[in-house]
PDB file of all heavy atoms in Angstrom:
ATOM      1  N   GLU A  20      14.611   5.278   9.853  1.00 91.00           N
ATOM      2  CA  GLU A  20      15.942   5.815   9.583  1.00 91.00           C
ATOM      3  C   GLU A  20      17.026   4.853  10.080  1.00 91.00           C
ATOM      4  O   GLU A  20      18.028   4.631   9.400  1.00 91.00           O
ATOM      5  CB  GLU A  20      16.102   7.179  10.240  1.00 91.00           C
ATOM      6  CG  GLU A  20      17.378   7.873   9.845  1.00 91.00           C
ATOM      7  CD  GLU A  20      17.430   9.317  10.321  1.00 91.00           C
ATOM      8  OE1 GLU A  20      16.385   9.893  10.666  1.00 91.00           O
ATOM      9  OE2 GLU A  20      18.547   9.852  10.331  1.00 91.00           O
ATOM     10  N   ASP A  21      16.834   4.278  11.252  1.00 91.00           N
ATOM     11  CA  ASP A  21      17.814   3.330  11.800  1.00 91.00           C
ATOM     12  C   ASP A  21      18.033   2.131  10.879  1.00 91.00           C
ATOM     13  O   ASP A  21      19.137   1.602  10.800  1.00 91.00           O
ATOM     14  CB  ASP A  21      17.372   2.816  13.174  1.00 91.00           C
ATOM     15  CG  ASP A  21      17.459   3.876  14.259  1.00 91.00           C
ATOM     16  OD1 ASP A  21      18.090   4.935  14.031  1.00 91.00           O
ATOM     17  OD2 ASP A  21      16.874   3.645  15.338  1.00 91.00           O
ATOM     18  N   GLU A  22      16.994   1.693  10.214  1.00 94.00           N
ATOM     19  CA  GLU A  22      17.070   0.496   9.367  1.00 94.00           C
ATOM     20  C   GLU A  22      17.155   0.844   7.874  1.00 94.00           C
ATOM     21  O   GLU A  22      17.014  -0.031   7.024  1.00 94.00           O
ATOM     22  CB  GLU A  22      15.856  -0.400   9.617  1.00 94.00           C
ATOM     23  CG  GLU A  22      15.777  -0.954  11.028  1.00 94.00           C
ATOM     24  CD  GLU A  22      16.867  -1.956  11.366  1.00 94.00           C
ATOM     25  OE1 GLU A  22      17.689  -2.307  10.491  1.00 94.00           O
ATOM     26  OE2 GLU A  22      16.894  -2.409  12.524  1.00 94.00           O
ATOM     27  N   PHE A  23      17.409   2.106   7.569  1.00 95.00           N
ATOM     28  CA  PHE A  23      17.385   2.567   6.181  1.00 95.00           C
ATOM     29  C   PHE A  23      18.308   1.753   5.275  1.00 95.00           C
ATOM     30  O   PHE A  23      17.900   1.290   4.211  1.00 95.00           O
ATOM     31  CB  PHE A  23      17.763   4.058   6.112  1.00 95.00           C
ATOM     32  CG  PHE A  23      17.671   4.629   4.738  1.00 95.00           C
ATOM     33  CD1 PHE A  23      16.481   5.141   4.266  1.00 95.00           C
ATOM     34  CD2 PHE A  23      18.785   4.634   3.899  1.00 95.00           C
ATOM     35  CE1 PHE A  23      16.392   5.661   2.983  1.00 95.00           C
ATOM     36  CE2 PHE A  23      18.712   5.150   2.614  1.00 95.00           C
ATOM     37  CZ  PHE A  23      17.510   5.670   2.162  1.00 95.00           C
ATOM     38  N   ASP A  24      19.557   1.568   5.658  1.00 95.00           N
ATOM     39  CA  ASP A  24      20.516   0.875   4.798  1.00 95.00           C
ATOM     40  C   ASP A  24      20.112  -0.567   4.532  1.00 95.00           C
ATOM     41  O   ASP A  24      20.238  -1.057   3.409  1.00 95.00           O
ATOM     42  CB  ASP A  24      21.921   0.927   5.396  1.00 95.00           C
ATOM     43  CG  ASP A  24      22.502   2.337   5.388  1.00 95.00           C
ATOM     44  OD1 ASP A  24      22.106   3.141   4.514  1.00 95.00           O
ATOM     45  OD2 ASP A  24      23.346   2.624   6.253  1.00 95.00           O
ATOM     46  N   ARG A  25      19.615  -1.235   5.546  1.00 95.00           N
ATOM     47  CA  ARG A  25      19.165  -2.618   5.351  1.00 95.00           C
ATOM     48  C   ARG A  25      17.954  -2.671   4.435  1.00 95.00           C
ATOM     49  O   ARG A  25      17.881  -3.507   3.533  1.00 95.00           O
ATOM     50  CB  ARG A  25      18.834  -3.277   6.691  1.00 95.00           C
ATOM     51  CG  ARG A  25      20.067  -3.579   7.521  1.00 95.00           C
ATOM     52  CD  ARG A  25      19.703  -4.121   8.875  1.00 95.00           C
ATOM     53  NE  ARG A  25      19.102  -5.453   8.763  1.00 95.00           N
ATOM     54  CZ  ARG A  25      18.421  -6.027   9.755  1.00 95.00           C
ATOM     55  NH1 ARG A  25      18.226  -5.399  10.906  1.00 95.00           N
ATOM     56  NH2 ARG A  25      17.921  -7.235   9.593  1.00 95.00           N
ATOM     57  N   ALA A  26      17.004  -1.770   4.658  1.00 96.00           N
ATOM     58  CA  ALA A  26      15.787  -1.759   3.840  1.00 96.00           C
ATOM     59  C   ALA A  26      16.111  -1.390   2.397  1.00 96.00           C
ATOM     60  O   ALA A  26      15.554  -1.970   1.457  1.00 96.00           O
ATOM     61  CB  ALA A  26      14.767  -0.786   4.419  1.00 96.00           C
ATOM     62  N   GLU A  27      17.022  -0.457   2.219  1.00 94.00           N
ATOM     63  CA  GLU A  27      17.379   0.006   0.880  1.00 94.00           C
ATOM     64  C   GLU A  27      17.926  -1.129   0.012  1.00 94.00           C
ATOM     65  O   GLU A  27      17.772  -1.118  -1.201  1.00 94.00           O
ATOM     66  CB  GLU A  27      18.413   1.124   0.990  1.00 94.00           C
ATOM     67  CG  GLU A  27      18.801   1.732  -0.326  1.00 94.00           C
ATOM     68  CD  GLU A  27      19.849   2.815  -0.166  1.00 94.00           C
ATOM     69  OE1 GLU A  27      20.676   2.736   0.768  1.00 94.00           O
ATOM     70  OE2 GLU A  27      19.830   3.744  -0.995  1.00 94.00           O
ATOM     71  N   SER A  28      18.517  -2.128   0.637  1.00 95.00           N
ATOM     72  CA  SER A  28      19.065  -3.246  -0.129  1.00 95.00           C
ATOM     73  C   SER A  28      17.983  -4.202  -0.642  1.00 95.00           C
ATOM     74  O   SER A  28      18.258  -5.062  -1.472  1.00 95.00           O
ATOM     75  CB  SER A  28      20.071  -4.027   0.723  1.00 95.00           C
ATOM     76  OG  SER A  28      19.414  -4.732   1.758  1.00 95.00           O
ATOM     77  N   LEU A  29      16.756  -4.033  -0.181  1.00 96.00           N
ATOM     78  CA  LEU A  29      15.668  -4.950  -0.546  1.00 96.00           C
ATOM     79  C   LEU A  29      14.903  -4.527  -1.792  1.00 96.00           C
ATOM     80  O   LEU A  29      14.315  -5.367  -2.474  1.00 96.00           O
ATOM     81  CB  LEU A  29      14.656  -5.075   0.597  1.00 96.00           C
ATOM     82  CG  LEU A  29      15.161  -5.532   1.948  1.00 96.00           C
ATOM     83  CD1 LEU A  29      14.004  -5.594   2.925  1.00 96.00           C
ATOM     84  CD2 LEU A  29      15.870  -6.861   1.844  1.00 96.00           C
ATOM     85  N   PHE A  30      14.872  -3.240  -2.081  1.00 96.00           N
ATOM     86  CA  PHE A  30      14.006  -2.740  -3.150  1.00 96.00           C
ATOM     87  C   PHE A  30      14.480  -1.386  -3.647  1.00 96.00           C
ATOM     88  O   PHE A  30      15.279  -0.714  -2.995  1.00 96.00           O
ATOM     89  CB  PHE A  30      12.556  -2.620  -2.669  1.00 96.00           C
ATOM     90  CG  PHE A  30      12.406  -1.852  -1.387  1.00 96.00           C
ATOM     91  CD1 PHE A  30      12.359  -0.469  -1.390  1.00 96.00           C
ATOM     92  CD2 PHE A  30      12.317  -2.518  -0.167  1.00 96.00           C
ATOM     93  CE1 PHE A  30      12.231   0.243  -0.207  1.00 96.00           C
ATOM     94  CE2 PHE A  30      12.201  -1.816   1.020  1.00 96.00           C
ATOM     95  CZ  PHE A  30      12.150  -0.432   1.003  1.00 96.00           C
ATOM     96  N   ASN A  31      13.962  -0.999  -4.794  1.00 94.00           N
ATOM     97  CA  ASN A  31      14.130   0.345  -5.342  1.00 94.00           C
ATOM     98  C   ASN A  31      12.752   0.974  -5.474  1.00 94.00           C
ATOM     99  O   ASN A  31      11.786   0.291  -5.820  1.00 94.00           O
ATOM    100  CB  ASN A  31      14.790   0.309  -6.723  1.00 94.00           C
ATOM    101  CG  ASN A  31      16.236  -0.099  -6.648  1.00 94.00           C
ATOM    102  OD1 ASN A  31      16.995   0.432  -5.856  1.00 94.00           O
ATOM    103  ND2 ASN A  31      16.630  -1.060  -7.471  1.00 94.00           N
ATOM    104  N   ILE A  32      12.685   2.275  -5.217  1.00 95.00           N
ATOM    105  CA  ILE A  32      11.442   3.023  -5.371  1.00 95.00           C
ATOM    106  C   ILE A  32      11.675   4.044  -6.479  1.00 95.00           C
ATOM    107  O   ILE A  32      12.633   4.813  -6.423  1.00 95.00           O
ATOM    108  CB  ILE A  32      11.050   3.751  -4.071  1.00 95.00           C
ATOM    109  CG1 ILE A  32      10.926   2.764  -2.913  1.00 95.00           C
ATOM    110  CG2 ILE A  32       9.748   4.533  -4.278  1.00 95.00           C
ATOM    111  CD1 ILE A  32      10.775   3.433  -1.554  1.00 95.00           C
TER     112      ILE A  32
END
Side-chain angles (χ1 to χ4, degrees):
E20 188 171 343
D21 289 347
E22 296 292 357
F23 184 87
D24 292 333
R25 288 175 68 196
E27 183 181 31
S28 70
L29 303 180
F30 51 83
N31 290 311
I32 303 170

